[in-house]
Short mmCIF file of all heavy atoms in Angstrom, two decimals:
data_model
loop_
_atom_site.label_atom_id
_atom_site.label_comp_id
_atom_site.label_asym_id
_atom_site.label_seq_id
_atom_site.Cartn_x
_atom_site.Cartn_y
_atom_site.Cartn_z
N GLN A 9 -7.39 0.65 5.06
CA GLN A 9 -8.83 0.42 4.94
C GLN A 9 -9.51 1.53 4.14
O GLN A 9 -10.58 1.33 3.59
CB GLN A 9 -9.49 0.32 6.32
CG GLN A 9 -9.16 -0.95 7.05
CD GLN A 9 -9.66 -0.94 8.48
OE1 GLN A 9 -9.85 0.12 9.10
NE2 GLN A 9 -9.88 -2.11 9.04
N HIS A 10 -8.87 2.68 4.07
CA HIS A 10 -9.43 3.82 3.34
C HIS A 10 -8.60 4.15 2.10
O HIS A 10 -8.67 5.26 1.57
CB HIS A 10 -9.53 5.03 4.28
CG HIS A 10 -10.45 4.79 5.43
ND1 HIS A 10 -11.82 4.71 5.30
CD2 HIS A 10 -10.20 4.56 6.74
CE1 HIS A 10 -12.36 4.46 6.47
NE2 HIS A 10 -11.41 4.36 7.36
N ASN A 11 -7.80 3.17 1.66
CA ASN A 11 -6.98 3.28 0.44
C ASN A 11 -5.87 4.33 0.53
O ASN A 11 -5.54 4.97 -0.47
CB ASN A 11 -7.86 3.51 -0.79
CG ASN A 11 -8.82 2.36 -0.99
OD1 ASN A 11 -8.43 1.20 -0.94
ND2 ASN A 11 -10.09 2.67 -1.19
N TYR A 12 -5.30 4.50 1.72
CA TYR A 12 -4.14 5.35 1.92
C TYR A 12 -3.02 4.50 2.49
O TYR A 12 -3.21 3.32 2.77
CB TYR A 12 -4.46 6.53 2.85
CG TYR A 12 -5.58 7.41 2.33
CD1 TYR A 12 -6.82 7.43 2.95
CD2 TYR A 12 -5.40 8.18 1.19
CE1 TYR A 12 -7.86 8.22 2.45
CE2 TYR A 12 -6.43 8.97 0.70
CZ TYR A 12 -7.64 8.98 1.33
OH TYR A 12 -8.66 9.75 0.83
N SER A 13 -1.84 5.10 2.67
CA SER A 13 -0.72 4.35 3.22
C SER A 13 0.09 5.23 4.17
O SER A 13 -0.14 6.44 4.27
CB SER A 13 0.18 3.83 2.09
OG SER A 13 0.89 4.91 1.51
N MET A 14 1.07 4.62 4.81
CA MET A 14 1.94 5.35 5.72
C MET A 14 2.68 6.48 5.00
O MET A 14 3.03 7.48 5.61
CB MET A 14 2.93 4.41 6.39
CG MET A 14 2.29 3.33 7.27
SD MET A 14 1.41 3.99 8.70
CE MET A 14 2.71 3.97 9.92
N SER A 15 2.88 6.34 3.71
CA SER A 15 3.57 7.39 2.96
C SER A 15 2.73 8.66 2.84
O SER A 15 3.26 9.71 2.49
CB SER A 15 3.97 6.89 1.57
OG SER A 15 2.83 6.61 0.79
N ASN A 16 1.43 8.59 3.15
CA ASN A 16 0.59 9.78 3.15
C ASN A 16 0.77 10.62 4.41
O ASN A 16 0.37 11.78 4.45
CB ASN A 16 -0.90 9.40 3.04
CG ASN A 16 -1.26 8.87 1.69
OD1 ASN A 16 -1.46 7.67 1.52
ND2 ASN A 16 -1.34 9.74 0.70
N ILE A 17 1.39 10.06 5.45
CA ILE A 17 1.53 10.76 6.73
C ILE A 17 2.62 11.83 6.63
O ILE A 17 3.73 11.57 6.19
CB ILE A 17 1.86 9.77 7.86
CG1 ILE A 17 0.74 8.74 8.02
CG2 ILE A 17 2.11 10.51 9.18
CD1 ILE A 17 -0.62 9.34 8.30
N VAL A 18 2.26 13.05 7.07
CA VAL A 18 3.22 14.17 7.07
C VAL A 18 3.52 14.68 8.47
O VAL A 18 4.48 15.42 8.66
CB VAL A 18 2.72 15.33 6.17
CG1 VAL A 18 2.62 14.89 4.72
CG2 VAL A 18 1.41 15.91 6.66
N LYS A 19 2.72 14.29 9.48
CA LYS A 19 2.91 14.79 10.85
C LYS A 19 2.36 13.78 11.84
O LYS A 19 1.27 13.24 11.63
CB LYS A 19 2.18 16.13 11.03
CG LYS A 19 2.05 16.63 12.47
CD LYS A 19 3.37 17.14 13.02
CE LYS A 19 3.22 17.92 14.31
NZ LYS A 19 3.16 17.09 15.50
N CYS A 20 3.12 13.49 12.89
CA CYS A 20 2.66 12.61 13.97
C CYS A 20 2.82 13.33 15.30
O CYS A 20 3.80 14.06 15.51
CB CYS A 20 3.47 11.32 14.02
SG CYS A 20 3.26 10.23 12.62
N THR A 21 1.87 13.11 16.17
CA THR A 21 1.97 13.57 17.55
C THR A 21 1.98 12.32 18.42
O THR A 21 1.07 11.50 18.33
CB THR A 21 0.79 14.48 17.93
OG1 THR A 21 0.79 15.60 17.03
CG2 THR A 21 0.92 14.97 19.36
N VAL A 22 3.03 12.18 19.21
CA VAL A 22 3.23 10.99 20.03
C VAL A 22 3.04 11.37 21.50
O VAL A 22 3.65 12.34 21.97
CB VAL A 22 4.66 10.43 19.83
CG1 VAL A 22 4.88 9.18 20.66
CG2 VAL A 22 4.92 10.17 18.35
N MET A 23 2.20 10.63 22.19
CA MET A 23 1.97 10.85 23.62
C MET A 23 2.44 9.61 24.37
O MET A 23 2.02 8.50 24.05
CB MET A 23 0.49 11.11 23.87
CG MET A 23 0.02 12.43 23.25
SD MET A 23 -1.75 12.46 22.89
CE MET A 23 -1.74 11.79 21.22
N LEU A 24 3.33 9.81 25.33
CA LEU A 24 3.92 8.73 26.10
C LEU A 24 3.62 8.94 27.58
O LEU A 24 3.76 10.07 28.08
CB LEU A 24 5.44 8.70 25.92
CG LEU A 24 5.97 8.66 24.49
CD1 LEU A 24 7.45 8.97 24.45
CD2 LEU A 24 5.68 7.30 23.88
N THR A 25 3.25 7.89 28.29
CA THR A 25 3.05 8.05 29.73
C THR A 25 4.38 8.06 30.47
O THR A 25 4.43 8.47 31.63
CB THR A 25 2.15 6.94 30.31
OG1 THR A 25 2.73 5.67 30.04
CG2 THR A 25 0.74 7.03 29.73
N ASN A 26 5.46 7.66 29.79
CA ASN A 26 6.79 7.72 30.36
C ASN A 26 7.75 8.21 29.27
O ASN A 26 8.03 7.48 28.33
CB ASN A 26 7.22 6.34 30.88
CG ASN A 26 8.58 6.36 31.57
OD1 ASN A 26 9.37 7.30 31.42
ND2 ASN A 26 8.86 5.31 32.32
N ILE A 27 8.24 9.41 29.40
CA ILE A 27 9.11 9.99 28.37
C ILE A 27 10.40 9.18 28.20
O ILE A 27 11.04 9.24 27.15
CB ILE A 27 9.41 11.48 28.67
CG1 ILE A 27 9.88 12.20 27.39
CG2 ILE A 27 10.39 11.63 29.81
CD1 ILE A 27 8.85 12.31 26.32
N ASN A 28 10.75 8.37 29.18
CA ASN A 28 11.93 7.51 29.05
C ASN A 28 11.74 6.41 28.00
O ASN A 28 12.70 5.76 27.61
CB ASN A 28 12.31 6.89 30.39
CG ASN A 28 12.78 7.95 31.38
OD1 ASN A 28 13.44 8.92 31.00
ND2 ASN A 28 12.41 7.78 32.64
N ASP A 29 10.51 6.22 27.53
CA ASP A 29 10.23 5.26 26.46
C ASP A 29 10.48 5.84 25.07
O ASP A 29 10.30 5.15 24.06
CB ASP A 29 8.78 4.76 26.54
CG ASP A 29 8.55 3.85 27.74
OD1 ASP A 29 9.48 3.12 28.11
OD2 ASP A 29 7.42 3.86 28.27
N PHE A 30 10.90 7.09 25.00
CA PHE A 30 11.08 7.76 23.71
C PHE A 30 12.08 7.04 22.81
O PHE A 30 11.85 6.86 21.62
CB PHE A 30 11.49 9.22 23.93
CG PHE A 30 11.56 10.03 22.69
CD1 PHE A 30 10.42 10.28 21.94
CD2 PHE A 30 12.77 10.55 22.24
CE1 PHE A 30 10.47 11.04 20.78
CE2 PHE A 30 12.83 11.31 21.07
CZ PHE A 30 11.67 11.55 20.35
N LYS A 31 13.20 6.60 23.35
CA LYS A 31 14.21 5.91 22.56
C LYS A 31 13.65 4.60 22.00
O LYS A 31 13.84 4.28 20.82
CB LYS A 31 15.46 5.65 23.39
CG LYS A 31 16.58 5.01 22.62
CD LYS A 31 17.84 4.87 23.47
CE LYS A 31 18.95 4.22 22.66
NZ LYS A 31 20.18 4.08 23.44
N ALA A 32 12.94 3.85 22.83
CA ALA A 32 12.33 2.60 22.37
C ALA A 32 11.28 2.88 21.30
O ALA A 32 11.16 2.13 20.32
CB ALA A 32 11.71 1.85 23.55
N PHE A 33 10.53 3.96 21.46
CA PHE A 33 9.54 4.32 20.46
C PHE A 33 10.21 4.61 19.12
O PHE A 33 9.74 4.16 18.07
CB PHE A 33 8.68 5.51 20.89
CG PHE A 33 7.64 5.86 19.87
CD1 PHE A 33 6.46 5.14 19.80
CD2 PHE A 33 7.85 6.87 18.96
CE1 PHE A 33 5.52 5.41 18.82
CE2 PHE A 33 6.92 7.16 17.98
CZ PHE A 33 5.74 6.43 17.92
N ASN A 34 11.30 5.36 19.14
CA ASN A 34 12.01 5.69 17.90
C ASN A 34 12.45 4.44 17.16
O ASN A 34 12.38 4.37 15.93
CB ASN A 34 13.22 6.57 18.19
CG ASN A 34 12.86 8.03 18.25
OD1 ASN A 34 11.84 8.46 17.75
ND2 ASN A 34 13.70 8.81 18.89
N ALA A 35 12.91 3.43 17.88
CA ALA A 35 13.36 2.18 17.25
C ALA A 35 12.20 1.51 16.51
O ALA A 35 12.39 0.96 15.42
CB ALA A 35 13.94 1.24 18.30
#
């Protein structure tokens, strides 16, 4: 919407309410 793309992303912070979901998130 602001004329950027996922390729502009250099850092993500992921917050999970269950750390056991980490593998599923990676997929």
Side-chain angles (χ1 to χ4, degrees):
Q9 288 172 335
H10 298 288
N11 300 312
Y12 301 110
S13 72
M14 297 296 269
S15 65
N16 290 106
I17 299 302
V18 297
K19 168 73 167 83
C20 293
T21 301
V22 181
M23 294 155 271
L24 307 166
T25 58
N26 183 343
I27 200 66
N28 294 323
D29 289 327
F30 186 65
K31 184 176 180 179
F33 181 80
N34 275 340

